[in-house]
Amino acid sequence: MGQQETSDVDEVFRVETHGIDPIPDAERHGSAKDLFWLWFGSNLTFTYVINGALAVAFGLSFWQATAVVVLGGLSFFAISAAGLSGIRTGTATLVVSRAAFGVRGNIPAGVLNWVVSIGYTIVNTVVGTLALEVFFAEAGWNGGTTGRALALLLTLALTFAVAMWGHATVQFAERWMAYVLAAGFGALLLFVLPGADTATRAAEAPGISGWSLALVVVFAGPFSYVPMPADYTRYLPRTTTLRSLTWTGALGGFLSSVALGVAGVAAATQTDMTDAVAGTESLLPGWFQPLFLALVLGGSVTNSIITLYSSSLNLQVLGIPWSRARAIVISAAVTALGSLAALFLTDFTTSLLSFLSLLIIVFAPWGGVFLADMLLRRCRYDADALHAGRAGTYWYRSGYHPAGLTALLAGMAFAALTCDSELWTGPLVAPLGGADLALLGSVVSGLTYWALARRSLPAYVPAA
């Protein structure tokens, strides 16, 4: 009987029974290579094409923009390595972060990170919806508002169904969709890259403003994953090594994000990418255009699946007294409302750029504190204390860790002062020559945390 219960916990097309509760060793399974397909598949999304095109729009040449895209891809090494916390504790990233911020102090950061994950789910949902709407039109049905609403409904349904089933189904879907999407996007590269203008330089040098804005946009996507890696490693056996999980996960995210980012860079040197889907489509042969729209939709769904899944764990961390499968309904409903607003009430291109530019204020400093805490502890946590509340080591002062919260606020303040976006321009941007240094908020918060906490963190040595 016990063996049957174990085998039913994390199976494909069965609703996952675990949430943020620690995964017992007897139920751990899989290997590090599963992470390759997770990060490879989830990052085969058209958003990276848009990011590459934006780098060119900020004044960078083909090779300059490509260098920025590669740097963004390398950040997946840090993100993948952060998954070690899931292997050590068997729980979600935003439970582990209680060690850095305190049980209560973790709640504001949890709320902000939930907003980030829902925001990216909305972005990808809207991209997929617009692609499906164009597909309808090219198939001969110009449905107008009805067609757009139907496209949104189908996109949401595909995302919600997989995320609702849970961890095993998410990994299964990401792997098999990756096979199809990789072949399709590979063909896209063959059509777009040969015509790229690699020789022409911009009429004016991009300057520090162009470089910094391009870096913010390209790093925004990978950095948004910092609150998620343990969500997908918590089922792996404790014997999984740091080297194996880092290299396999990082390679998956690097390959897909860089390939699609370079496709966006190449497309932007040939055509107007203000409407990135229409601009890319104009470079493709007619017979491939319907397949391209299917790729945009599929890539949007693969990325939305993991962000929506993690958002349900996030809500449990915030105290929603529901199962993971029920909590995901809240995230799906908010995603639907946000997508409706983006599709019917605002200009999507402007909203996307503003959204990506502002997100860095929140999750770059949060990531700096979380990663600094991991390094200081050498990723050794008292897994029981993470769930113990007042009785646990991570209650600190009335549930708050002063060092973590001070460092987070310091990083957010720096990022806000140096952020240059459509919705907010920090007062230090002009004195800095137009530079957007919001990314460095992670460095400021990480160093601040190291200075405040390096002598005071409680020692923890796990049992043999």
Side-chain angles (χ1 to χ4, degrees):
M1 181 65 179
Q3 180 63 38
Q4 181 64 34
E5 290 176 351
T6 297
S7 65
D8 285 348
V9 169
D10 191 38
E11 285 190 346
V12 177
F13 303 130
R14 282 182 180 268
V15 176
E16 179 189 4
T17 58
H18 283 299
I20 62 172
D21 53 303
I23 308 300
D25 285 350
E27 298 175 18
R28 302 285 190 100
H29 62 88
S31 66
K33 66 181 181 181
D34 296 330
L35 298 176
F36 173 85
W37 294 109
L38 176 81
W39 292 114
F40 181 68
S42 62
N43 285 286
L44 285 169
T45 173
F46 193 73
T47 304
Y48 287 107
V49 177
I50 298 175
N51 292 348
L54 286 173
V56 175
F58 292 137
L60 275 63
S61 68
F62 175 88
W63 292 113
Q64 290 170 334
T66 297
V68 169
V69 167
V70 171
L71 287 175
L74 290 174
S75 64
F76 278 100
F77 279 89
I79 294 159
S80 190
L84 182 63
S85 61
I87 293 171
R88 294 274 175 87
T89 64
T91 192
T93 307
L94 283 171
V95 176
V96 179
S97 63
R98 289 170 175 168
F101 300 102
V103 176
R104 287 177 172 169
N106 192 53
I107 293 175
V111 172
L112 292 174
N113 278 307
W114 181 78
V115 172
V116 169
S117 64
I118 292 299
Y120 259 97
T121 307
I122 291 171
V123 167
N124 283 295
T125 298
V126 170
V127 171
T129 299
L130 293 175
L132 190 54
E133 182 185 19
V134 174
F135 181 84
F136 288 158
E138 293 186 354
W141 180 49
N142 189 4
T145 301
T146 302
R148 177 169 288 190
L150 178 60
L152 173 60
L153 180 63
L154 291 173
T155 304
L156 286 171
L158 289 170
T159 304
F160 178 74
V162 175
M164 169 68 82
W165 270 315
H167 176 266
T169 310
V170 168
Q171 289 199 317
F172 175 84
E174 294 291 351
R175 174 188 287 262
W176 286 98
M177 291 180 74
Y179 294 153
V180 177
L181 292 174
F185 279 118
L188 173 69
L189 282 168
L190 293 178
F191 291 127
V192 173
L193 281 180
D197 184 355
T198 61
T200 302
R201 296 185 178 181
E204 297 182 6
I208 190 171
S209 175
W211 279 102
S212 62
L213 286 171
L215 285 167
V216 166
V217 167
V218 168
F219 273 89
F223 260 68
S224 69
Y225 291 126
V226 175
M228 299 183 193
D231 302 359
Y232 303 101
T233 59
R234 70 194 205 280
Y235 277 95
L236 292 177
R238 292 182 188 273
T239 53
T240 307
T241 65
L242 174 61
R243 173 180 289 185
S244 63
L245 78 90
T246 300
W247 276 97
T248 53
L251 187 61
F254 178 85
L255 289 176
S256 50
S257 65
V258 170
L260 296 188
V262 171
V265 171
T269 65
Q270 303 172 66
T271 188
D272 180 10
M273 291 287 283
T274 304
D275 182 339
V277 172
T280 306
E281 191 177 19
S282 69
L283 301 175
L284 304 174
W287 64 267
F288 188 76
Q289 291 176 4
L291 296 176
F292 163 69
L293 296 172
L295 290 174
V296 176
L297 172 62
S300 299
V301 169
T302 60
N303 194 263
S304 293
I305 285 170
I306 68 166
T307 52
L308 189 61
Y309 173 80
S310 288
S311 74
S312 65
L313 298 175
N314 195 335
L315 287 174
Q316 287 191 313
V317 174
L318 295 176
I320 299 295
W322 291 357
S323 67
R324 180 206 59 81
R326 290 181 64 194
I328 206 170
V329 175
I330 299 175
S331 295
V334 175
T335 298
L337 292 174
S339 300
L340 284 169
L343 287 164
F344 295 100
L345 300 179
T346 63
D347 176 72
F348 176 62
T349 303
T350 301
S351 299
L352 173 64
L353 178 57
S354 302
F355 178 72
L356 291 176
S357 299
L358 278 180
L359 282 183
I360 208 77
I361 294 177
V362 177
F363 57 72
W366 186 94
V369 176
F370 177 72
L371 295 175
D373 184 73
M374 278 188 61
L375 290 173
L376 284 172
R377 298 177 191 274
R378 297 189 179 182
C379 207
R380 292 172 179 166
Y381 301 94
D382 184 341
D384 293 332
L386 290 171
H387 302 270
R390 292 175 179 271
T393 306
Y394 306 120
W395 187 250
Y396 299 110
R397 297 180 185 176
S398 301
Y400 300 92
H401 189 199
L405 294 175
T406 301
L408 176 64
L409 291 175
M412 289 180 65
F414 179 87
L417 290 171
T418 59
C419 176
D420 183 13
S421 74
E422 294 288 330
L423 299 180
W424 168 258
T425 300
L428 296 184
V429 172
L432 291 169
D436 184 338
L437 302 182
L439 273 174
L440 296 181
S442 60
V443 178
V444 171
S445 64
L447 291 177
T448 302
Y449 186 76
W450 177 82
L452 294 175
R454 63 191 178 96
R455 297 186 185 277
S456 62
L457 287 182
Y460 175 71
V461 179

